[in-house]
């Protein structure tokens, strides 16, 4: 495994995850509590670090759990999960550089050149008769699926990240339920 902090993992080195809209990303089901998620991810070879984050609602605590590969030299989180007290897992952010490959309707979403992924998502929408839109990051997303995308730079390379959500009863959209740090993922350092 490449241990360079800014290196982009090859698809062959990434875990291969699926996405079931508003239900699951890889081995994680939306609604699961953070303790169970830590156990699930440990079984997948990830170590966890939990932090309370800024609350969007003063009545409910909110946590970020960073998951890193268990190699001692792994510096960057591969996956960040966000939990709301009483609700469980609401958002999963998969890092462009180190995260698992997540496939939706046969399209690989992580670690891709954004323009190529945009073209594939647009063609996929036409083929499947899905509505598509430009999400707030300027990347193409599908209305029928609760994920948003962005781009992350490493050196001269720009590759795609994605966050997957279940807004449930709490929010109108994936973008609304995602913590502010998710929206800034490609633009700022990890908190």
């Amino acid at each position: 495994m490449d241990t360079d902090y800014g290196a982009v993992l090859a698809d062959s080195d990434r875990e291969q995850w699926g996405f079931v809209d508003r239900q699951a990303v890889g081995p994680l089901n939306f609604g699961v509590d953070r303790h169970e998620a830590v156990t699930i991810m440990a079984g997948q070879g990830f170590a966890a670090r939990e932090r309370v984050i800024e609350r969007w609602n003063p009545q409910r605590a909110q946590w970020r759990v960073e998951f890193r590969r268990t190699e001692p030299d792994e510096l960057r989180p591969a996956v960040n999960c966000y939990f709301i007290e009483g609700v469980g897992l609401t958002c999963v952010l998969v890092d462009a550089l180190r995260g698992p490959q997540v496939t939706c309707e046969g399209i690989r979403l992580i670690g891709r050149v954004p323009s190529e992924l945009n073209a594939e998502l647009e063609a996929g929408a036409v083929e499947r008769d899905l509505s598509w839109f430009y999400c707030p990051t300027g990347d193409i997303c599908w209305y029928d699926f609760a994920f948003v995308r962005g781009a992350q730079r490493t050196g001269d390379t720009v590759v795609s990240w994605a966050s997957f959500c279940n807004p449930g009863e709490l929010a109108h959209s994936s973008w609304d339920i995602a913590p502010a740090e998710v929206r800034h993922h490609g633009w700022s350092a990890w908190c």
Side-chain angles (χ1 to χ4, degrees):
M1 175 177 288
D2 190 342
T3 59
D4 179 9
Y5 181 78
V8 178
L9 282 180
D11 260 7
S12 60
D13 292 331
R14 295 178 186 265
E15 297 80 5
Q16 302 298 307
W17 286 6
F19 170 59
V20 179
D21 189 45
R22 295 175 177 84
Q23 293 178 32
V25 179
L28 298 167
N29 291 318
F30 289 109
V32 68
D33 74 38
R34 71 183 194 284
H35 304 293
E36 187 175 347
V38 168
T39 301
I40 290 167
M41 292 294 280
Q44 301 288 314
F46 290 89
R49 186 167 82 187
E50 297 181 44
R51 290 186 185 178
V52 173
I53 61 173
E54 184 177 335
R55 295 176 181 213
W56 59 271
N57 177 332
Q59 305 303 314
R60 296 180 190 228
Q62 190 170 1
W63 293 269
R64 172 184 62 230
V65 180
E66 297 176 350
F67 291 102
R68 302 165 191 266
R69 290 181 174 74
T70 56
E71 285 80 21
D73 53 2
E74 186 64 44
L75 301 174
R76 180 178 203 88
V79 177
N80 279 354
C81 291
Y82 298 89
F83 300 84
I84 297 173
E85 181 179 22
V87 177
L89 178 63
T90 58
C91 182
V92 177
L93 172 66
V94 179
D95 185 68
L97 309 179
R98 312 306 289 173
Q101 182 54 262
V102 180
T103 302
C104 178
E105 295 291 307
I107 296 175
R108 297 174 300 108
L109 300 175
I110 308 301
R112 305 273 312 275
V113 173
S115 60
E116 293 173 3
L117 181 52
N118 278 342
E120 194 170 339
L121 284 168
E122 185 176 351
V126 170
E127 177 183 314
R128 294 168 180 82
D129 197 28
L130 297 172
S131 298
W132 58 275
F133 67 101
Y134 288 99
C135 62
T137 60
D139 298 292
I140 291 178
C141 289
W142 292 340
Y143 274 116
D144 302 327
F145 291 87
F147 69 85
V148 293
R149 305 176 30 240
Q152 224 170 301
R153 180 180 174 175
T154 179
D156 291 334
T157 304
V158 177
V159 289
S160 61
W161 58 264
S163 67
F164 305 88
C165 300
N166 182 1
E169 304 281 323
L170 295 175
H172 176 68
S173 70
S174 297
W175 199 249
D176 295 335
I177 194 77
E181 66 186 57
V182 171
R183 295 189 293 271
H184 299 116
H185 180 64
W187 308 321
S188 62
W190 282 86
C191 299

